[in-house]
Amino acid sequence: MEVIDATDGGAQFSARLNRIPVMTRSHKRWLAVLAALLLVDMADLNTFAFAAPAIRADWGLSVSDVGTITAASFLGMFAGSIVGGRLADRFGRKRIIIGATVFFSTFSLLSAFAVGVADLAVYRVLTGVGLQAMTVVVLTYVSEMFPKLHRGRAQTWIVAFSLLGVPAMAWLARWIVPIGPSAWRWIFVLGTSGLLLIAVTARWLPESVRWLQENGHTERAEEIVARIESEAREITRAELPQILPQPVVAAGRPGDLFRGGYSKRTIVLCLTMALALSGFYGYNSWVPTLLTEHGFTTTQSLTYSSVMSLATVPGALLALLFIDRVERRTAVLVLYSMVGMLMLVFGFTDSDTVMVASGLLITLLLQASVPCVYTYLPEIFPTSLRGFGAGVGNGVGRLAVFATTFLVAAILAQLGFTAVFLYLASVVVLAGLIMGKFGERTLGRSLEEITMTADEGKHQQRIPNTQPSTSGT
């Protein structure tokens, strides 16, 4: 890709954003909107996991049937992640966030009226399309609109708040399911709450400045950046730091992700996401059913799952202690290694107390890794391909979960409960090793600087950058 100098005019918008030293009123408003959207997204994502035991009892489903429906939603997520990311690069981040919210809310509602495995699987596929289209674009938006030294913390707060949807859905399921044989349908109705956020999103969330700059909408970009700068001056009561020129990579084509300097990033990201999400959802989506198959009653299974889900939000908040101090790749390696060991404890113990305790810690550490991975996803690609690049990595991960869902069902049926956790521990640790060894350095660096470290960028003319390094090791 050709590298151009960002020294004046519209090309300076990225540099002006990079120098903002604080989170302004606008940033906090956007954070609230994005967190609310992801809360609904996260709750809907977990509806079937908590409804599955009741649906099995109501419809007389086998473990294989549960696996089919669970896998179907991840197949939809694969498509939604890639298509949503690409559409966001073409038509803007805001439009796709709103459109995807309407899409997944509609099909979540239809899931409540399903009459069998086939139509429920179709509805969950289409729900998954909308869920991941929105998720990928929200992550991209955060990376582009929040100050570089606060990207990780902004992502953490959004993830932490959104994760309230997990225990909320778990406890609602615990309350709703016992009401009657078909009461589980109301769990899916809750997924339509995303529609209530459309008006607020349309009013409060501006388009991404970097996307506006990339597509020639300089007047709109200037208005947004000027407002942020004014708010930052009010907070600091001082002039903002000097604007430092930033390299800007010219618009590329989708194929650029698979050749030249970006190919390594794409491959490493896809491998990491495939393994990590296989372990993450292999655990979270299957725990209620796995516990039931291990001999617990449906009520006990939902109770234990609900208790373990209490660690989700504290787990995400745990990332605040290190996310903008430790390299993303290092944090992911350490967290996944610890999760792998705890999964072995969970799978081998005969003590209910140890099982619940290790389950709590697994949930805590898995959720602490989520902000790290979510922050990293869009950081390593240029603006013109950021949504698509993040979508490809995330989409491949969801496709791997689709395949893993059947694998977990087969392992459970043929080898048993303990073998499932041997598998889950292995894939999570391997994901951490790949990220830790081959991932990119992103801590404290502008998106433009990260982009310029791609291998092909080494052969291009660089823009001198006199800013002191704040990168981690």
Side-chain angles (χ1 to χ4, degrees):
M1 293 183 179
E2 177 189 1
V3 178
I4 59 178
D5 191 357
T7 55
D8 56 43
Q12 278 283 24
F13 292 132
S14 294
R16 289 165 64 185
L17 286 175
N18 284 333
R19 70 175 178 152
I20 301 296
V22 294
M23 294 274 281
T24 67
R25 291 193 306 274
S26 290
H27 286 122
K28 293 174 183 177
R29 184 182 301 117
W30 305 338
L31 190 149
V33 173
L34 296 170
L37 287 168
L38 276 189
L39 182 146
V40 174
D41 181 291
M42 194 66 66
D44 201 321
L45 185 64
N46 287 274
T47 51
F48 184 73
F50 295 116
I55 296 175
R56 283 190 67 193
D58 190 22
W59 288 356
L61 303 183
S62 66
V63 173
S64 178
D65 292 329
V66 173
T68 298
I69 298 172
T70 301
S73 64
F74 286 100
L75 187 62
M77 291 178 204
F78 163 70
S81 187
I82 295 176
V83 173
R86 184 58 184 153
L87 289 176
D89 288 339
R90 291 285 303 278
F91 301 108
R93 319 309 191 197
K94 180 177 178 178
R95 290 179 184 176
I96 304 307
I97 288 173
I98 292 174
T101 302
V102 173
F103 195 87
F104 80 71
S105 297
T106 300
F107 286 101
S108 180
L109 179 61
L110 289 176
S111 297
F113 296 93
V115 297
V117 173
D119 62 331
L120 182 56
V122 170
Y123 295 145
R124 297 316 293 171
V125 166
L126 295 172
T127 302
V129 169
L131 287 171
Q132 282 310 298
M134 193 192 77
T135 297
V136 165
V137 183
V138 166
L139 302 184
T140 300
Y141 188 94
V142 174
S143 72
E144 293 180 344
M145 291 292 282
F146 285 76
K148 68 178 183 179
L149 297 179
H150 296 271
R151 282 197 306 262
R153 275 170 283 183
Q155 203 74 262
T156 299
W157 281 115
I158 290 172
V159 169
F161 185 81
S162 71
L163 286 173
L164 288 171
V166 180
M169 189 58 66
W171 286 102
L172 282 169
R174 177 68 182 83
W175 174 67
I176 290 172
V177 167
I179 293 176
S182 297
W184 55 265
R185 296 179 184 276
W186 288 101
I187 298 174
F188 293 115
V189 174
L190 297 174
T192 63
S193 55
L195 296 174
L196 302 176
L197 300 171
I198 297 301
V200 174
T201 303
R203 180 173 180 177
W204 282 8
L205 203 67
E207 182 53 78
S208 161
V209 167
R210 283 183 167 88
W211 186 87
L212 291 172
Q213 174 183 311
E214 187 82 18
N215 290 273
H217 303 290
T218 56
E219 291 185 5
R220 291 169 60 191
E222 172 62 37
E223 180 182 345
I224 297 167
V225 173
R227 182 171 68 249
I228 296 173
E229 290 175 330
S230 176
E231 292 174 357
R233 291 189 187 97
E234 290 179 11
I235 295 171
T236 62
R237 297 186 179 183
E239 281 303 310
L240 299 177
Q242 179 183 2
I243 298 175
L244 298 175
Q246 295 287 339
V248 179
V249 179
R253 294 171 294 182
D256 291 333
L257 293 181
F258 307 100
R259 56 176 173 258
Y262 292 107
S263 60
K264 175 190 171 184
R265 298 181 180 202
T266 303
I267 292 170
V268 169
L269 182 61
C270 287
L271 287 173
T272 300
M273 294 301 291
L275 293 164
L277 291 184
S278 293
F280 187 98
Y281 286 105
Y283 174 76
N284 285 304
S285 295
W286 274 92
V287 159
T289 300
L290 286 169
L291 291 176
T292 302
E293 289 299 308
H294 197 51
F296 295 98
T297 66
T298 298
T299 300
Q300 287 175 322
S301 171
L302 287 173
T303 300
Y304 287 159
S305 299
S306 299
V307 170
M308 288 184 277
S309 74
L310 294 176
T312 54
V313 175
L317 291 175
L318 180 64
L320 289 172
L321 300 177
F322 57 83
I323 193 165
D324 284 324
R325 296 182 175 89
V326 178
E327 273 296 336
R328 325 285 190 220
R329 62 185 184 185
T330 304
V332 169
L333 171 59
V334 173
L335 290 169
Y336 283 172
S337 297
M338 295 171 67
V339 166
M341 291 185 289
L342 287 165
M343 282 182 168
L344 293 179
V345 173
F346 191 100
F348 279 91
T349 185
D350 291 324
S351 167
D352 290 359
T353 302
V354 172
M355 179 178 289
V356 173
S358 59
L360 275 167
L361 290 174
I362 290 170
T363 302
L364 185 83
L365 297 178
L366 278 177
Q367 299 300 344
S369 73
V370 171
C372 302
V373 174
Y374 274 11
T375 304
Y376 180 87
L377 265 173
E379 286 181 319
I380 59 176
F381 299 111
T383 299
S384 61
L385 297 174
R386 185 163 291 122
F388 184 56
V392 168
N394 191 55
V396 168
R398 307 293 163 168
L399 186 62
V401 175
F402 170 76
T404 298
T405 300
F406 295 104
L407 182 57
V408 168
I411 294 173
L412 179 62
Q414 299 298 321
L415 301 175
F417 181 85
T418 300
V420 170
F421 283 90
L422 279 170
Y423 163 73
L424 295 177
S426 299
V427 295
V428 168
V429 171
L430 185 56
L433 290 172
I434 291 174
M435 172 70 87
K437 177 66 176 178
F438 302 107
E440 297 295 325
R441 292 191 305 110
T442 65
L443 181 66
R445 307 171 78 190
S446 70
L447 298 180
E448 293 72 27
E449 183 184 356
I450 296 168
T451 297
M452 281 296 294
T453 59
D455 291 343
E456 65 180 18
K458 295 177 182 178
H459 306 293
Q460 303 288 348
Q461 181 180 356
R462 293 175 179 269
I463 307 300
N465 189 345
T466 59
Q467 185 177 12
S469 174
T470 57
S471 305
T473 57

